[in-house]
Amino acid sequence: MRLIDARMPELARCLTLFQYVQAVTGGPAARIDQAGSYAVPSLRGDAFAVRPGSIALRLDGDGVASAVVERDESSGSVAVHLIDGDGRTVHQGRLLSEGDRLLVGLAPTVEAGASAVGASVVPEVPAWENGDQLAQFDAVLADGGVARRAAFDRYRGEHRAIDVGVVPSVLDHVCSVGLPIGVAVFAPAVMQACAGRVHVTDRTVGGRVFAAVAESSVEIDLAGVRECHLVRSSGAHGPTSALELDDEDGRCVAVVTQFGVVGVDVYGVWEQLAESLPDA
């Protein structure tokens, strides 16, 4: 196991070295899995984009305490782990090619116990109370969105509680009509996102919902989702709806929405669908 530099931009340089990675973010209630290469990760407060074929990460630089490269001697597999202050793996990138495993030697290393304080320059983060969609995501990255949800009466945009049970139907519908969507999955200090058409959906008797979105696989355990909120915040075409799924601890684990600039027709159909969803 080797400690690598978890500070930005050093971490970004390391991740973008690799050409073919299996990137996984999430926890018991939601998970996203995508194979490909990393786009340059962004920090809270930075601009953000989801591009086809690239793994899109957004990080809370203060929340990623360390990063390690670990080799499994029994299988020979190599993975990069991002670890939070509680020692939990919040993101894993498994290197799928021998060339990438050789490139690990180029990653900048740090000594055990070395402090990462002061190296990452964190951009100013807009307040979520009157912020755009990205400001809402960044508030979730800070603490899972717990403080934001507790003070949601201060939010100046439209929001209402939605019946959690409609989530599978929403995914089935956008799949059947070919409407592209964006999905973001959160772990402590890390968000991984994808966007595009939903190719297939499935669900189990136990309440697990699966969706193949563009190049990603998304899994949501509805049994672990306590609440769903429809939140409208400013986007490229105007107020844009997002379905925010909260777990039993009140942490937002996943968001279904439209990212960035999409076609006006896509935006309109998505907003009509959101408007039709029943209250909780």
Side-chain angles (χ1 to χ4, degrees), residues 44-246:
R44 294 176 65 232
D46 280 337
F48 180 69
V50 181
R51 296 183 175 87
S54 294
I55 299 162
L57 292 186
R58 191 167 181 85
L59 309 175
D60 177 4
D62 293 334
V64 178
S66 60
V68 300
V69 174
E70 187 171 19
R71 180 181 294 274
D72 184 331
E73 296 301 334
S74 61
S75 65
S77 64
V78 178
V80 178
H81 299 265
L82 305 187
I83 299 170
D84 71 0
D86 294 326
R88 297 171 294 191
T89 293
V90 294
H91 174 77
Q92 175 182 292
R94 188 163 62 91
L95 309 185
L96 299 179
S97 75
E98 185 58 35
D100 284 341
R101 290 190 280 270
L102 293 173
L103 283 173
V104 164
L106 299 179
T109 59
V110 294
E111 297 295 326
S115 172
V117 174
S120 291
V121 177
V122 180
E124 182 179 353
V125 180
W128 59 265
E129 289 90 342
N130 59 351
D132 61 9
Q133 185 186 68
L134 201 49
Q136 311 310 312
F137 293 162
D138 284 347
V140 173
L141 269 175
D143 68 345
V146 173
R148 169 177 171 263
R149 192 70 78 206
F152 220 44
D153 58 319
R154 301 204 308 260
Y155 181 56
R156 300 181 186 181
E158 177 188 343
H159 58 95
R160 60 190 176 98
I162 296 295
D163 182 356
V164 174
V166 306
V167 173
S169 297
V170 168
L171 295 174
D172 288 346
H173 177 72
V174 298
C175 179
S176 66
V177 301
L179 180 69
I181 59 169
V183 179
V185 172
F186 293 86
V190 178
M191 177 183 92
Q192 183 175 333
C194 63
R197 291 181 180 270
V198 179
H199 305 299
V200 66
T201 63
D202 196 8
R203 68 183 84 176
T204 68
V205 174
R208 289 190 175 272
V209 178
F210 301 87
V213 185
E215 299 90 0
S216 296
S217 173
V218 175
E219 177 183 352
I220 299 170
D221 182 6
L222 289 183
V225 175
R226 183 181 67 185
E227 294 180 326
C228 178
H229 295 263
L230 189 151
V231 180
R232 302 191 81 208
S233 50
S234 57
H237 294 295
T240 301
S241 297
L243 302 182
E244 300 183 358
L245 309 182
D246 293 352

